[in-house]
């Protein structure tokens, strides 16, 4: 007899299978996700609009988060898995909202990132993202489909770092209460930013990882401070005791993000105009290019993602990930690389066993601000 289907790892090939998993959802209309307890609010951000209609008429569709406040979005007893998160916000810049996720009562978070960067939107401006793991849709709707299993508890919080302004947050967290396989690892995501990158130093996407797991994705918000092409740098994965040299070494920044030749069709096809070309696909994309406007927006900025869905990078004991910022010197006779000093931010996504080493301290909002 076939094993009972847990209801996790859902795809088109097994949607027909029955399961004992219990589907639940947390939102401002049901803060706990309890069965039969949705839409019961009698007060909330929509209460004034629902006057005369009463209970059940969109009384509490969102929450208000005050300046310097941290709110709990979800606190779930397991076992189970988060299967989808939808979130949108008004009033606040996305780097001022910090998303954190804690697994199984671990004191420090396994996910810590500004909301915008976590959802591939690091520059506080909307760009369509159409991928398997993250979708950003019109109206600045943030969605993620990373499966996040947990055994005892999942707790999700959001912090408003703006000292002067409140925000309105709409969200829905869809999850299943189900058996979690023994070999299931825990989802992690960590934000970093270096501005500017010191001369001749590699940018560190991730380090300090200890345990077994697999690296599954990278988002980068890259602000260029030099003229010319900026993406010759190689990404490197140091794993399981690697020291000076990595086990995996890429061939160029645009190559890692599944593009080629400067993301510029005109480089190889003279019939096309030469320019950066945005693209968004299930596994990789350059969905955002912010171009100089000739006045105050002086630098070109890029948003890129790469998901290792069919090619996860597996490690047994440790992992460190770096990337070079590398351009070209302008003198044509002097064909040499130029180490760049760019504004680079990233979110690394991976699964690993617990316990997790505490992340490095997240810098203050002034350092993280998109200027």
């Amino acid at each position: 007899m076939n094993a009972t289907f847990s209801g996790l790892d859902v795809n088109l090939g097994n949607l027909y299978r029955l399961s004992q998993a219990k589907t639940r959802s947390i939102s401002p209309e049901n803060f706990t996700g309890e069965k039969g307890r949705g839409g019961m609010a009698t007060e909330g951000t929509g209460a004034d609009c629902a006057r005369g209609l009463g209970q059940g008429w969109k009384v509490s569709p969102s929450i208000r988060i005050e300046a310097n406040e941290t709110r709990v979005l979800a606190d779930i007893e397991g076992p189970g898995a988060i299967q989808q998160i939808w979130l949108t916000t008004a009033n606040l810049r996305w780097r001022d909202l910090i998303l954190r996720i804690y697994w199984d009562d671990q004191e420090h978070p396994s996910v810590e990132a500004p909301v915008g960067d976590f959802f591939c939107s690091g520059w506080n401006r909307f760009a369509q993202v159409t991928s398997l793991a993250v979708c950003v849709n019109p109206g600045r709707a943030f969605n993620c489909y990373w499966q996040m299993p947990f055994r005892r508890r999942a707790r999700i919080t959001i912090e408003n770092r703006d000292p002067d302004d409140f925000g309105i947050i709409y969200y829905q967290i869809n999850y299943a209460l189900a058996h979690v396989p023994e070999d299931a690892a825990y989802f992690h995501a960590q934000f970093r930013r270096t501005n500017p990158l010191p001369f001749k130093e590699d940018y560190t996407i991730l380090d300090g990882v200890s345990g077994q797991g697999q690296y599954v994705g990278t988002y980068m918000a890259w602000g260029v401070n030099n003229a010319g092409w900026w993406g010759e740098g190689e990404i490197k994965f140091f794993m399981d005791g690697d020291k000076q040299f990595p086990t995996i070494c890429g061939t160029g920044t645009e190559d890692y993000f599944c593009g080629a030749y400067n993301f510029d069709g005109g480089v190889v096809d003279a019939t096309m105009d030469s320019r950066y070309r945005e693209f968004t696909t299930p596994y990789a994309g350059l969905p955002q290019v912010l171009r100089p406007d000739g006045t105050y927006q002086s630098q070109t900025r890029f948003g890129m993602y790469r998901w290792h869905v069919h090619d996860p990078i597996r490690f047994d004991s440790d992992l460190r990930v770096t990337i070079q910022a590398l351009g070209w010197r302008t003198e044509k006779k002097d064909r040499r690389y130029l180490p760049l000093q760019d504004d680079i931010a990233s979110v690394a996504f991976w699964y690993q066993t617990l316990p997790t080493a505490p992340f490095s301290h997240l810098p203050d909002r002034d350092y993280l601000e998109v200027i």
Side-chain angles (χ1 to χ4, degrees), residues 3-21:
T4 302
F5 179 46
S6 70
L8 307 182
D9 305 322
V10 178
N11 57 68
L12 281 174
N14 62 19
L15 275 176
Y16 66 91
R17 295 194 64 185
L18 298 175
S19 170
Q20 296 302 309

Side-chain angles (χ1 to χ4, degrees), residues 19-285:
S19 170
Q20 296 302 309
K22 304 300 181 186
T23 299
R24 297 290 183 263
S25 182
I26 288 175
S27 76
E29 287 284 13
N30 187 349
F31 286 115
T32 64
E34 291 180 77
K35 183 180 181 303
R37 304 287 293 180
M40 296 178 62
T42 56
E43 58 183 41
T45 58
D48 186 60
C49 299
R51 65 186 184 277
L53 294 176
Q55 192 177 32
W57 288 92
K58 201 172 181 177
V59 173
S60 181
S62 58
I63 62 170
R64 175 174 168 135
I65 183 168
E66 303 297 337
N68 292 319
E69 183 183 15
T70 297
R71 294 287 298 265
V72 175
L73 299 186
D75 195 342
I76 308 166
E77 292 186 5
I82 294 169
Q83 296 177 307
Q84 194 252 354
I85 299 174
W86 167 83
L87 184 148
T88 189
T89 179
N91 300 20
L92 296 173
R93 289 187 269 187
W94 302 332
R95 280 256 172 102
D96 280 338
L97 290 169
I98 308 300
L99 179 71
R100 295 183 177 93
I101 304 179
Y102 303 79
W103 304 124
D104 291 2
D105 295 313
Q106 186 170 255
E107 292 184 1
H108 48 270
S110 292
V111 172
E112 184 178 60
V115 162
D117 296 82
F118 182 84
F119 291 98
C120 300
S121 303
W123 296 113
N124 288 325
R125 297 193 190 184
F126 170 79
Q128 177 80 41
V129 177
T130 306
S131 81
L132 285 177
V134 172
C135 292
V136 182
N137 299 324
R140 62 181 185 272
F142 296 143
N143 300 268
C144 87
Y145 297 89
W146 297 109
Q147 186 161 266
M148 307 178 191
F150 55 95
R151 291 178 172 83
R152 294 194 303 276
R153 187 183 181 197
R155 186 164 63 93
I156 303 175
T157 69
I158 195 164
E159 175 191 1
N160 175 17
R161 283 186 158 193
D162 191 316
D164 303 312
D165 202 1
F166 70 92
I168 299 296
I169 299 173
Y170 298 79
Y171 65 94
Q172 191 116 20
I173 298 166
N174 298 317
Y175 62 99
L177 298 175
H179 170 72
V180 174
E182 291 184 6
D183 61 358
Y186 291 83
F187 179 78
H188 289 69
Q190 184 186 19
F191 170 86
R192 290 174 179 241
R193 186 199 195 177
T194 302
N195 180 28
L197 184 68
F199 187 61
K200 290 187 177 181
E201 284 192 15
D202 291 352
Y203 175 79
T204 298
I205 295 172
L206 182 65
D207 67 0
V209 172
S210 178
Q212 183 182 10
Q214 50 265 10
Y215 188 90
V216 296
T218 310
Y219 168 74
M220 299 197 78
W222 196 306
V224 177
N225 290 328
N226 285 70
W229 170 236
W230 49 274
E232 290 297 330
E234 297 176 334
I235 194 166
K236 298 179 179 180
F237 292 86
F238 301 81
M239 61 185 71
D240 301 335
D242 289 343
K243 301 300 183 185
Q244 182 178 359
F245 299 105
T247 295
I248 297 173
C249 183
T251 59
T253 303
E254 83 275 45
D255 307 340
Y256 171 68
F257 288 99
C258 299
Y261 290 104
N262 305 19
F263 299 120
D264 181 358
V267 168
V268 293
D269 186 346
T271 66
M272 302 177 70
D273 60 306
S274 185
R275 63 179 176 85
Y276 294 113
R277 297 179 184 277
E278 296 90 331
F279 68 99
T280 176
T281 76
Y283 304 113

